[in-house]
Amino acid sequence: MSERVRRGRPGHDQQSVLRVAIELFNRQGYDATSMGDLARELGLTKSAIYHHVPSKEHLLERALDEALDELTAALDAVRADASATPEQRLRSAVRSSVVVLAGHLPAVTLLLRVRGNTPAEKTALARRREIDHRLAEMVREAADAGAIRDDVDPLLTSRLLFGMVNSMTEWLRPETDVEQLADTVTTLAFDGLMRHD
Amino acid sequence: MSERVRRGRPGHDQQSVLRVAIELFNRQGYDATSMGDLARELGLTKSAIYHHVPSKEHLLERALDEALDELTAALDAVRADASATPEQRLRSAVRSSVVVLAGHLPAVTLLLRVRGNTPAEKTALARRREIDHRLAEMVREAADAGAIRDDVDPLLTSRLLFGMVNSMTEWLRPETDVEQLADTVTTLAFDGLMRHD
């Protein structure tokens, strides 16, 4: 908080600058966005913007960390529930990833577009791979426990499953009912389209 | 073919120029790619490139049409099979979209990144929405026939389903066994992760 007061100007704390930056990066691409563009969007001069943020890459790092920290925390919470079965953990992981994606939509959208052109992007891609690896491990554990089908490759399954989740960044709107969406995604992932009654 | 001979130079027919252009657009972004970049990649001078293609946007149009024409033709073929049930048609649509995506991976990847910044992109987005609408219609028909669950919204279901298919552009490799992948995707979509034995 003290940093906000010290570095911010009225109407522009660190968080609001970050929100605007993420929105700009998503709209026109990170590479195509300059600090001048960001200053203009915030109604600041180009030199005043440096009171708020040291660099464009610093903003990118914070945005990507936001998405990655939230996804990692969600998986940590799932893992920490020792009473859950592997199937329940996988269900929770699918559900949580929908909730994190919806709750941090701009940051997750930015993360999913990262191609690894800068050091910050390379670091983010490495963290994404770590998350993919943890998700694939959860699929494998549920298959090993006999809870889910074991006739498909765990890595392929987790890619398809979380590819479905991630594709929501294409159309999700702030007014979407997230709990209901999370239920639908989990039901489709585990039970598929067919009726089983 | 006569146009190829007339306009092309040894080693560069219209198709090979298009392949290189799509690859460049995907690698560095359409907006960030100049005709000069394309000429350099092809080993041509900047003026010689105009012997091959009238403009950058012309190449984008052809690339997007390639993806859209293939997806449309696949859905037309599914629709034309009058003996198939709505469920079988939906299964065929899922399967075919995997096969088209794999067979035209660079063009489909480009299509999925389009944000509607140019007239060609706006046209492509309109055609994509038409395809989405047809897929949602197939989901609705299968639900109405009682073949698949009717407790989820058809548009949401088709978005999630084809979101899963489209997410394959993130990791699909030329050596992937497409038939096997199409089986896995169809199985996951219809039967889900759970064992049903």
Side-chain angles (χ1 to χ4, degrees):
Chain A
M1 271 315 225
S2 67
E3 196 186 31
R4 266 195 201 181
V5 173
R6 201 167 62 245
R7 301 192 65 175
R9 293 195 170 190
H12 297 305
D13 60 19
Q14 299 281 308
Q15 264 300 324
S16 70
V17 171
L18 183 61
R19 291 305 116 204
V20 172
I22 294 175
E23 198 273 318
L24 262 185
F25 295 160
N26 280 332
R27 198 195 325 152
Q28 58 191 39
Y30 174 72
D31 293 331
T33 302
S34 68
M35 287 289 269
D37 294 338
L38 180 58
R40 204 172 309 115
E41 195 80 9
L42 288 163
L44 295 172
T45 63
K46 204 172 160 181
S47 67
I49 187 78
Y50 289 99
H51 284 281
H52 296 275
V53 281
S55 68
K56 190 174 84 155
E57 184 142 36
H58 174 81
L59 287 167
L60 180 65
E61 273 171 21
R62 288 192 48 197
L64 299 176
D65 279 346
E66 174 188 324
L68 290 159
D69 290 350
E70 291 290 335
L71 290 165
T72 303
L75 293 189
D76 288 346
V78 166
R79 174 67 65 196
D81 182 1
S83 69
T85 65
E87 181 200 330
Q88 287 167 333
R89 281 204 292 268
L90 184 59
R91 279 183 188 269
S92 298
V94 172
R95 216 179 187 291
S96 302
S97 62
V98 174
V99 173
V100 167
L101 182 142
H104 299 266
L105 186 58
V108 175
T109 301
L110 188 63
L111 174 66
L112 295 177
R113 291 188 187 164
V114 151
R115 291 286 168 267
N117 298 324
T118 63
E121 292 177 79
K122 286 193 197 354
T123 303
L125 281 185
R127 288 189 68 190
R128 251 197 92 178
R129 276 194 297 274
E130 172 64 23
I131 289 171
D132 289 346
H133 178 77
R134 290 181 66 180
L135 293 169
E137 203 50 41
M138 284 189 194
V139 173
R140 188 186 310 272
E141 284 166 8
D144 287 350
I148 63 167
R149 62 174 64 250
D150 58 2
D151 57 349
V152 291
D153 176 55
L155 182 59
L156 173 58
T157 306
S158 71
R159 277 172 164 169
L160 290 171
L161 212 55
F162 293 93
M164 176 167 75
V165 172
N166 292 339
S167 74
M168 299 187 324
T169 57
E170 299 291 320
W171 53 264
L172 203 65
R173 293 290 167 270
E175 61 274 19
T176 307
D177 180 334
V178 176
E179 293 302 317
Q180 199 185 319
L181 181 61
D183 287 341
T184 302
V185 172
T186 311
T187 299
L188 272 181
F190 281 81
D191 298 327
L193 286 169
M194 298 303 286
R195 293 158 164 278
H196 299 289
D197 48 21
Chain B
M1 270 317 225
S2 68
E3 198 188 27
R4 267 196 198 180
V5 173
R6 200 169 62 246
R7 303 192 64 176
R9 291 195 171 190
H12 298 305
D13 60 19
Q14 299 280 310
Q15 263 301 322
S16 70
V17 171
L18 183 61
R19 292 303 116 205
V20 172
I22 294 175
E23 198 272 317
L24 262 185
F25 295 160
N26 279 332
R27 197 193 328 149
Q28 58 191 41
Y30 174 72
D31 293 331
T33 302
S34 69
M35 287 290 269
D37 293 339
L38 180 58
R40 204 172 307 116
E41 194 80 9
L42 289 163
L44 295 172
T45 63
K46 204 172 161 181
S47 68
I49 187 76
Y50 290 97
H51 283 280
H52 296 275
V53 281
S55 68
K56 190 173 85 155
E57 184 141 36
H58 174 82
L59 287 167
L60 179 65
E61 274 171 20
R62 288 191 49 197
L64 298 176
D65 279 346
E66 175 187 324
L68 289 158
D69 290 349
E70 291 290 335
L71 289 165
T72 303
L75 292 188
D76 288 346
V78 166
R79 172 68 63 196
D81 182 0
S83 69
T85 65
E87 181 199 330
Q88 287 168 333
R89 282 205 291 268
L90 184 58
R91 279 182 187 271
S92 298
V94 171
R95 218 181 184 290
S96 300
S97 62
V98 174
V99 173
V100 168
L101 182 142
H104 300 267
L105 187 57
V108 175
T109 301
L110 188 63
L111 174 66
L112 295 178
R113 290 186 188 167
V114 152
R115 292 285 168 267
N117 298 325
T118 65
E121 291 176 79
K122 285 193 196 359
T123 303
L125 281 185
R127 288 189 70 190
R128 251 197 91 178
R129 277 194 297 273
E130 173 64 25
I131 290 171
D132 288 346
H133 178 78
R134 291 180 66 180
L135 293 169
E137 204 49 42
M138 285 189 192
V139 172
R140 188 186 309 273
E141 285 166 7
D144 286 349
I148 62 168
R149 61 175 64 249
D150 57 4
D151 56 349
V152 291
D153 175 56
L155 182 59
L156 173 58
T157 306
S158 72
R159 276 173 165 169
L160 290 171
L161 211 55
F162 293 93
M164 176 167 77
V165 172
N166 291 339
S167 74
M168 300 187 323
T169 56
E170 299 292 320
W171 52 263
L172 202 67
R173 293 288 167 269
E175 63 272 19
T176 306
D177 180 334
V178 176
E179 293 302 318
Q180 198 185 319
L181 180 61
D183 288 342
T184 301
V185 172
T186 311
T187 299
L188 271 183
F190 282 80
D191 298 326
L193 285 170
M194 299 303 286
R195 293 158 163 277
H196 300 288
D197 49 19

